[in-house]
Structure formats: structure tokens, C-alpha cells
Amino acid sequence: MASYSTSEFKGGLKIMQDGEPCTILENEMVKPGKGQAFNRVKIRKLISGKVVEKTFKSGDSVEAADVQEVELAYLYSDGEFWHFMNNESFEQLAADEAAVGDTVKWLVEQDVCTLTLWNGKPINVTPPNFVELEITETDPGLKGDTAGTGGKPATLVTGAVVRVPLFVQIGEVIKVDTRSGDYVSRVQK
Amino acid sequence: MPLAPFCYWTWQPFMTLWQPGISVQRLRDRAQLMREIRDFFAQREVMEVDTPLLATAGVTDPHLTNAETSIAGQRYFLQTSPEYAMKRLLAAGSGCIYQLGKAVRDDELGRYHNPEFCLLEWYRIGFDDTQLMQEVDAFLQVTLGCEAADYISYQALFLKYLNIDPLEAAGITQLKHWLSAQQLGDWVATETDTDTLLQLAMSHFIEPQMGQQRPVIVFNFPASQAALARIDVQDPRVARRFEVYFKGIELANGFYELSDSSVQAQRFAADNQMRSRQGKPQQPIDHHLLTALEAGLPDCAGVALGVDRLAMLRWGAEHIDQVLSFSARRV
């Protein structure tokens, strides 16, 4: 089994912890002049998404997690799985609901997403930073408008709800920042 | 993430790594700091010495690693502190001495660590640890302009912050349970080394809380962490060792020096046994030091203080790179 020594710790390193693959976010060495040194790390658990702090004795080894990230284009969903394809090799991969999670509301066909694979199996799907989606539902009028209301909610074709300016109408395509869920602009068709 | 094009603590592009991490203004103040240090000892008639960085023996402490080099086929250890050589001078009759120079420790790199660093070490003949603590206190008031230090024993410190007695077996059991509940890692529950548990508690839970307003001097460390300090005659559970902390930084470590050569030889041997258990290479023992102790080390106390960290505190610097001309990232 592959393992890493604490001296190899750095941001982005993938290790196993509590039976779950994790990525190291921060690594700080705590070293007294006399005595045992420690590595204090902040890690994100890649399946549950939880961020936790752990401490290792410097010099100890930790099991490595076989985790890689691949860029794949979203194809379609059959209701149970979401299918992605490598645009160069045309190899396909299916991600289940647990892996797709909340990302489902940002999936646009042909968009290239980042899939995190653990032992070859998708565990997480990250959408592109910006996606373009059509509005299927929003309050049409400007009636009752008062300054500073901060816009209105709009439902997109995927079911995502974002706040949009009052002038944006049903049927229009908008650009959304998937990291914040914020409206960016209208897209000219 | 792609390789950062910026140095992560200075936010300067790597292109500017030819430049020093320290500003020219601070460089001038660093020179001023060195003058203040030398004045401090000149006023007290403590003599400056300059001992070698290279020696044929290294440090046995299992938690320290010497950098090594070879000159004309001879293996040399770069000293992790000038302690052994300075003690040989003391045994030779030097009187009170100080040294302001470089020390090197392998595998140390971080916010408060540079592998090569400036260490101030001094020895006071006829002083015990209490007197030396007071002198360190005065030194910090001069060089940092800070308030007088607080003094607290290691035992009182643990009782104050964790309500645990670090010198009693029952206290250690309690500590282990408490530490296990903090979810730091599975290894804590099965850790058998008392000092590792104590050091974990100290570094994670006590140090961040203490010495924020003024320096704090912690004395009477457990005998198991004596290093090169003598064991207390009245209370053999503790060693006459002290540490100075200020604003989360461990600044200095001092001893009422062990002068018994046979006890020193036993500690070297115990260190090497610990090294073997940890799968680390044993270190050659410094026989010059042992012979010097046999010849007679005068009763004295000594302390080592990190000058780069002192500079960090003097200026409120965030990273050691900001107080050095060229830290390890720039050489």
C-alpha cells in the first residue's frame, strides 16, 4: 500500500483518513526546540466534503489515497447515473447521485466538468466556473418594484434558482457563476 | 492547483527571489539589534566567543537532526547549537561567555523555522536557572521593549490551563483521555510516550493561549524532558530547565547545567537507544564534551535564544523570511 511520510505533506496531497480519501488543504509544522514535532493539517474529506483538523507525529506515515482528477464532458442522465465522456479518448464514465450531489443543477450537456476519481470511481463532480442556462420561470412584470429589492428569483431549466435583475425574462439564457450561484449576465442568443 | 507563480507568504512573484526577504529599513534595525545584544553582554562583562560550526560529533537528541558535510574525506556535523563547544570553553576556564552566530538544523522549514538560523547562546557562571531567567527577562525588556515576564512552573501551567497534573501518573491518564476526545488523530489513544502527550497538549492547547501580553517563562520541566539540565535535588520529578514563550513563539530554552559527566554519558546513551527504537541512526557521542565535564564544568546556567524569532517579535513580522536577508527559499 502506498503511503506518504509527514515530510511529504503539502496542499493538494491526497491521503486516507477515517476510511475516506481526503485532500490536504493546509499543513503546518509544530516543532518545539526540544521534543516531539507535529504536523497539524487541515483536510477536506472528499466524499462527505467535511473539513477537519488532524495532527500527526512528524515522521509517521499515512496511507495514500488513489485519487485523480479528470476533465470530462457531460453527456446525459438516465435517471440513475450521469454519464460523462473524455473528449479525446471517447471513454465514458458514469457518476452516481452521491458523486454528482448538488452539481446536478449546473450540468449542461457538452460542458466539461472536473471529476474526482477514487480507485477509478467518480466520487465528486465539479461543474465549470460559469454555465449558461435558460430561465423557465420568473415573475414577468416590474409591478410592485421598489428600488433596492435586489432583483427577483428565477428558476432555470435544471431546477436551479438564482436571483436575477428585474428586466430578465422567461426564455432568456443567463450566465451564472457556479461557485457562488450568482447571476453574471444575460447571454445574447 | 498549478504551481503558484507567487511566493506564498510575500505575494511577490518568484522572479523577485533574488531580492532579500527583509526590507532595507529592517536590515538597519537588525544591525541595531545586534549592537544592543552585544552592549547588553558588554555591560555585564560576558565575553563574546566564536566556536566552530563543524564538529566530528553531532547531537544525540532524537528530535534533532544534524546537517552533515564532508571535508577532505572527514565527516563533519554542522552544529545544531554551540552548546558542546561552549561548555568546553567553560571547563577550560573562559568565565561567562556568549555567542551570537549561526546554527543549522536539518528538516526545519516553516513560518518560524529556517534550516540555518541565528542563535544567541550564553552561559553565566555561578547562576542557577532562577537567576538566568531574570537575566533573560531583562534582556527581552531591552531588546523588545516589552513588559516584565510572567513566571510559572510547568506543573502550575498544566493545572491552570487543563486542570491536569503533568507530574503524576493519574494526571497523564487523565490527559490521554482528554487528548483522545479532541479528535486530533487515532494515534493519540494508543500513544505510550508520556512526553509526546505532554508536548502535544503544550503545543496545541497551552502555547496558543499563554504569553500574549508579555513573555512567559515556564520552569521546572518534567525530569523526562531534562535534556541537558540537572534534576532538581528537592523534587526529582522535575528538571531545572526553562523555556520562554511570547505571542505564540517559543523563544528560548535554558538549563541549570548538568555538570556530571557520567549522568551526561547516560543521557547520550539513552538518546541513542531512543533513536534506535524510532529507526533513526545512532549518533557518535561527543567525547570531548564528556572529558571536559570530567575535568570540571563550573557551576553555571545557560540559555539559547533564537535571534531571528526575536527580530520577528521586535517588528511583528509574520514569517521568518521577512527578517532574514535570504531565507532557504532564496538561496
Side-chain angles (χ1 to χ4, degrees):
Chain A
M1 210 160 357
S3 66
Y4 295 116
S5 158
T6 54
S7 60
E8 297 172 88
F9 279 11
K10 59 178 181 195
L13 194 76
K14 307 293 192 294
I15 58 168
M16 289 299 295
Q17 203 57 206
D18 304 329
E20 205 176 305
C22 303
T23 185
I24 294 181
L25 301 175
E26 285 168 30
N27 169 47
E28 188 195 357
M29 199 179 65
V30 181
K31 182 157 187 13
K34 308 270 171 201
Q36 179 68 50
F38 302 99
N39 285 70
R40 235 181 146 162
V41 298
K42 196 181 263 186
I43 56 177
R44 174 181 288 123
K45 296 190 170 184
L46 291 173
I47 293 177
S48 65
K50 279 184 194 151
V51 174
V52 294
E53 282 191 26
K54 294 276 177 188
T55 294
F56 298 90
K57 277 194 284 181
S58 299
D60 277 2
S61 291
V62 185
E63 191 188 334
D66 177 13
V67 169
Q68 58 180 129
E69 288 185 342
V70 289
E71 307 268 297
L72 300 175
Y74 173 59
L75 295 179
Y76 65 97
S77 167
D78 60 17
E80 190 180 356
F81 290 101
W82 284 257
H83 298 268
F84 295 83
M85 184 177 72
N86 183 322
N87 277 337
E88 276 152 34
S89 67
F90 306 113
E91 228 174 293
Q92 291 193 18
L93 262 177
D96 63 13
E97 200 179 345
V100 175
D102 282 348
T103 301
V104 68
K105 65 183 180 194
W106 304 123
L107 287 179
V108 177
E109 285 173 24
Q110 306 306 326
D111 272 3
V112 175
C113 300
T114 305
L115 272 73
T116 307
L117 310 183
W118 176 36
N119 297 328
K121 187 178 165 294
I123 53 168
N124 187 44
V125 178
T126 309
N129 291 343
F130 298 101
V131 295
E132 295 177 359
L133 289 164
E134 189 185 326
I135 295 176
T136 55
E137 215 184 303
T138 190
D139 194 349
L142 297 168
K143 60 178 188 282
D145 179 33
T146 53
T149 53
K152 59 181 180 179
T155 308
L156 309 180
V157 65
T158 54
V161 178
V162 297
R163 286 203 81 77
V164 298
L166 297 174
F167 57 79
V168 179
Q169 304 299 334
I170 294 175
E172 287 190 284
V173 175
I174 59 166
K175 186 175 174 184
V176 182
D177 186 327
T178 60
R179 294 162 295 186
S180 59
D182 288 343
Y183 165 90
V184 178
S185 64
R186 280 194 290 185
V187 179
Q188 302 300 323
K189 273 188 278 194
Chain B
M1 256 189 11
L3 199 69
F6 294 92
C7 176
Y8 76 90
W9 62 79
T10 60
W11 294 103
Q12 289 177 344
F14 275 124
M15 276 173 64
T16 66
L17 283 182
W18 69 267
Q19 292 174 323
I22 189 172
S23 66
V24 171
Q25 189 193 346
R26 282 179 174 177
L27 198 62
R28 285 195 196 103
D29 191 56
R30 196 175 161 118
Q32 172 61 28
L33 174 61
M34 294 299 178
R35 270 195 298 276
E36 287 173 19
I37 293 172
R38 290 195 159 98
D39 285 349
F40 182 88
F41 291 107
Q43 284 161 16
R44 286 166 170 76
E45 296 183 342
V46 179
M47 175 173 70
E48 181 165 8
V49 295
D50 184 15
T51 64
L53 187 55
L54 300 181
T56 51
V59 67
T60 54
D61 186 328
H63 301 298
L64 290 177
T65 310
N66 286 106
E68 292 180 28
T69 188
S70 142
I71 293 169
Q74 167 72 51
R75 182 187 188 198
Y76 286 100
F77 298 89
L78 277 70
Q79 296 300 286
T80 55
S81 89
E83 179 155 13
Y84 300 169
M86 290 181 80
K87 283 181 174 171
R88 285 163 65 188
L89 290 179
L90 291 163
S94 66
C96 298
I97 48 175
Y98 78 96
Q99 176 157 327
L100 190 53
K102 288 286 169 70
V104 179
R105 296 182 185 179
D106 193 3
D107 201 20
E108 301 212 2
L109 199 62
R111 190 173 159 197
Y112 301 118
H113 293 89
N114 197 58
E116 174 185 355
F117 60 101
C118 184
L119 194 64
L120 167 65
E121 185 150 328
W122 77 93
Y123 290 86
R124 297 293 255 137
I125 290 171
F127 275 32
D128 66 5
D129 47 341
T130 310
Q131 288 165 291
L132 188 58
M133 282 188 253
Q134 284 159 2
E135 189 164 72
V136 173
D137 190 358
F139 174 86
L140 295 179
Q141 290 177 51
V142 169
T143 53
L144 295 180
C146 60
E147 294 172 36
D150 288 330
Y151 297 73
I152 188 168
S153 75
Y154 192 89
Q155 185 182 37
L157 186 74
F158 271 71
L159 286 168
K160 179 179 172 186
Y161 287 104
L162 301 177
N163 197 26
I164 278 165
D165 187 344
L167 303 179
E168 292 298 328
I172 299 302
T173 310
Q174 238 181 311
L175 179 66
K176 193 164 162 174
H177 283 139
W178 184 80
L179 284 172
S180 301
Q182 306 306 309
Q183 307 276 324
L184 296 169
D186 297 338
W187 62 271
V188 178
T190 53
E191 180 60 48
T192 53
D193 186 60
T194 299
D195 292 320
T196 299
L197 294 170
L198 289 171
Q199 283 151 0
L200 180 66
M202 185 80 170
S203 60
H204 283 58
F205 300 102
I206 300 179
E207 275 183 41
Q209 297 186 62
M210 67 180 187
Q212 294 300 326
Q213 292 299 315
R214 58 190 80 86
V216 56
I217 303 182
V218 181
F219 58 94
N220 282 0
F221 269 64
S224 54
Q225 295 177 35
L228 275 72
R230 64 177 70 186
I231 303 298
D232 190 60
V233 184
Q234 265 91 49
D235 185 357
R237 297 177 305 170
V238 301
R240 304 287 290 270
R241 174 184 158 205
F242 67 90
E243 288 254 6
V244 185
Y245 303 87
F246 192 24
K247 294 183 178 164
I249 295 181
E250 181 195 357
L251 195 55
N253 175 68
F255 305 134
Y256 186 16
E257 300 291 344
L258 178 68
S259 55
D260 185 323
S261 74
S262 62
V263 176
Q264 183 64 65
Q266 284 164 18
R267 290 199 193 165
F268 280 156
D271 277 350
N272 266 334
Q273 281 161 14
M274 175 66 98
R275 283 179 163 267
S276 291
R277 281 200 297 279
Q278 294 178 353
K280 292 174 182 164
Q282 294 207 357
Q283 284 285 73
I285 280 173
D286 193 330
H287 291 287
H288 287 313
L289 175 67
L290 292 177
T291 320
L293 294 182
E294 269 167 43
L297 182 74
D299 218 32
C300 66
V303 62
L305 184 147
V307 175
D308 305 318
R309 291 181 181 179
L310 186 72
M312 285 179 76
L313 287 166
R314 185 166 158 119
W315 307 321
E318 292 289 309
H319 199 288
I320 201 163
D321 179 65
Q322 299 165 342
V323 307
L324 296 172
S325 56
F326 304 107
S327 71
R329 296 293 295 268
R330 298 173 188 270
V331 293

